[in-house]
């Protein structure tokens, strides 16, 4: 029944997108990839600077293409958005995350998982209904899920998107603003969205321990977020100096290559049992 439901979205997307995108054949292959499990979900840890442990993970999609090799999400997500395939792909990812969560929750019940949700999907009623169905039929508590949303002009119908996010909050899902600092109308979104977390974009984080201006921006963003009652994640943490700087600023969580690259579920569960400290 699940397959039928996902399949339905899939074919809608395939039909709507035909002729609109330059790389139709690649998108056709994406249809097949989803059906045959060639889309994989990797996980990158979010490390708690307060508790010195992996407190959460972010799901990041990977496409293992049989001929072209690995295709990164930066290439196929924008295409999937344009050709309406993003809906089926996101539901696929959410399904995976929820079932993976059920596995690691047995030994690590406190570790939450974040899923990236394209802003434009939030005003899509069919998508939101499908998400609610997944949440309701799953055995993992909704409080172990975070939806990461990018501040974006692509939020085609802000009122409906905000209503959808409010509904997810009501159901227990946390909402995170992704890539903070890079989008438009940043402060407007902070005011309007029911956020629980803010992720500072890696372009600000990467040089914060060496660049005075970046340091000021990061430090004041953390302060601002805390005053608004939000948790702060710094992304793109690649070295120990950066992590030490963030700790000193009171940042809650760090994510980046220093802690780990995105890894398959098997490597993640191993990491959770070892629990390295930084
Ligand atoms: P994002 O949500 O901002 O994810 C963070 C990206 O930064 C990931 O790239 C991650 O691998 C990379 N990254 C993490 N730590 C570091 C670091 O220390 N240094 C550097 N240089 N990079 C780091 P990735 O996996 O290629 O994903 C790219 C983007 O694709 C994501 O950006 C997200 O916007 C999108 N994406 C990935 N998976 C999904 C998905 O399931 N749904 C949607 N809608 N978008 C997704
Ligand atoms: Ca993200
Ligand atoms: Ca991000
Ligand atoms: Ca990004």
């Amino acid at each position: 029944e699940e397959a039928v439901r996902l399949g339905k979205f899939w074919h809608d997307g395939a039909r709507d997108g035909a002729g609109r995108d330059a790389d139709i054949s690649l998108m056709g292959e994406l249809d097949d990839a989803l059906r045959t499990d060639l889309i994989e979900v990797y996980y990158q840890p979010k490390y708690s600077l307060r508790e010195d442990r992996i407190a959460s993970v972010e799901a990041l999609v990977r496409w293992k293409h049989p001929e072209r090799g690995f295709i990164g999400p930066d290439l196929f997500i924008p295409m999937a958005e344009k050709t309406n395939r993003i809906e089926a792909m996101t539901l696929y990812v959410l399904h995976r995350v929820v079932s993976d969560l059920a596995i690691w929750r047995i030994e690590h019940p406190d570790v939450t998982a974040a899923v990236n949700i394209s802003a434009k999907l939030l005003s899509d009623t069919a998508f939101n209904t499908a998400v609610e169905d997944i949440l309701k039929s799953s055995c993992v508590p909704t409080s172990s899920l975070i939806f990461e949303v990018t501040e974006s002009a692509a939020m085609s119908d802000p009122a409906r998107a905000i209503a959808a996010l409010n509904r997810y909050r009501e159901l227990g899902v946390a909402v995170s603003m992704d890539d903070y600092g890079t989008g438009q109308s940043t402060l407007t979104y902070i005011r309007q969205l029911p956020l629980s977390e803010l992720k500072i974009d890696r372009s600000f984080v990467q040089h914060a321990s060496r660049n005075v201006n970046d340091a000021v921006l990061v430090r004041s963003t953390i302060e601002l977020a805390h005053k608004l009652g939000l948790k702060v994640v710094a992304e793109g943490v690649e070295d120990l100096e950066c992590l030490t700087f963030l700790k000193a600023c009171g940042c809650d969580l760090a994510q980046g290559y220093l802690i780990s690259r995105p890894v398959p579920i098997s490597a993640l569960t191993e990491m959770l049992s070892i629990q390295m400290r930084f």
Side-chain angles (χ1 to χ4, degrees):
E1 193 222 313
E2 216 76 273
V4 172
R5 198 159 62 203
L6 291 179
K8 175 178 122 10
F9 283 106
W10 205 238
H11 291 301
D12 289 353
R15 195 183 53 239
D16 294 343
R20 240 190 274 153
D21 201 279
D23 206 336
I24 292 168
S25 88
L26 188 60
M27 284 297 98
E29 289 179 87
L30 181 57
D31 293 350
D32 297 335
L34 269 154
R35 276 193 292 263
T36 53
D37 274 345
L38 287 172
I39 300 291
E40 284 188 32
V41 177
Y42 274 37
Y43 294 99
Q44 186 178 39
K46 288 176 168 176
Y47 183 80
S48 167
L49 296 169
R50 299 179 181 283
E51 302 165 58
D52 271 313
R53 66 175 184 104
I54 297 168
S56 187
V57 303
E58 175 179 5
L60 294 159
V61 282
R62 301 286 179 261
W63 180 0
K64 300 237 160 109
H65 191 280
E67 287 111 44
R68 300 191 195 204
F70 164 94
I71 303 179
D74 279 336
L75 179 71
F76 71 86
I77 299 269
M79 268 195 228
E81 282 177 345
K82 261 188 254 152
T83 58
N84 291 338
R85 286 170 169 91
I86 191 67
E87 185 170 3
M89 205 213 68
T90 305
L91 293 174
Y92 176 93
V93 172
L94 185 60
H95 262 285
R96 270 253 65 81
V97 168
V98 162
S99 56
D100 287 350
L101 243 175
I103 297 170
W104 76 65
R105 268 184 52 80
I106 298 169
E107 295 198 23
H108 312 282
D110 297 337
V111 179
T112 58
V115 176
N116 289 286
I117 311 274
S118 298
K120 61 181 269 191
L121 277 180
L122 290 169
S123 39
D124 183 325
T125 310
F127 171 77
N128 289 318
T129 305
V131 170
E132 253 192 66
D133 285 349
I134 294 173
L135 298 182
K136 283 179 178 156
S137 62
S138 142
C139 62
V140 305
T142 43
S143 58
S144 3
L145 283 170
I146 302 162
F147 287 169
E148 292 191 7
V149 182
T150 307
E151 41 167 332
S152 152
M155 208 171 263
S156 49
D157 189 343
R160 273 166 80 178
I162 292 164
L165 289 176
N166 279 321
R167 176 81 186 125
Y168 291 134
R169 281 304 298 271
E170 240 170 65
L171 291 169
V173 178
V175 175
S176 174
M177 178 173 283
D178 207 350
D179 298 346
Y180 178 76
T182 59
Q184 297 157 16
S185 323
T186 284
L187 292 172
T188 306
Y189 281 120
I190 285 207
R191 227 170 73 209
Q192 293 181 338
L193 302 185
L195 300 174
S196 21
E197 180 185 274
L198 195 147
K199 293 186 81 171
I200 309 178
D201 191 70
R202 71 161 176 266
S203 56
F204 299 100
V205 172
Q206 240 152 6
H207 310 291
S209 66
R210 293 181 293 274
N211 180 296
V212 183
N213 288 334
D214 288 356
V216 169
L217 288 174
V218 168
R219 195 180 288 116
S220 8
T221 301
I222 294 169
E223 240 170 71
L224 169 77
H226 282 165
K227 282 184 180 146
L228 292 169
L230 307 177
K231 266 199 272 181
V232 185
V233 185
E235 48 174 48
V237 179
E238 294 183 349
D239 50 63
L240 208 51
E241 290 72 31
C242 184
L243 185 121
T244 307
F245 168 79
L246 292 166
K247 221 175 203 172
C249 293
C251 186
D252 302 279
L253 297 138
Q255 185 178 354
Y257 295 166
L258 170 71
I259 293 127
S260 168
R261 290 187 175 252
V263 294
I265 170 91
S266 54
L268 175 79
T269 46
E270 225 168 280
M271 239 186 284
L272 289 176
S273 343
I274 298 166
Q275 281 291 3
M276 289 209 296
R277 290 169 154 260
F278 292 87

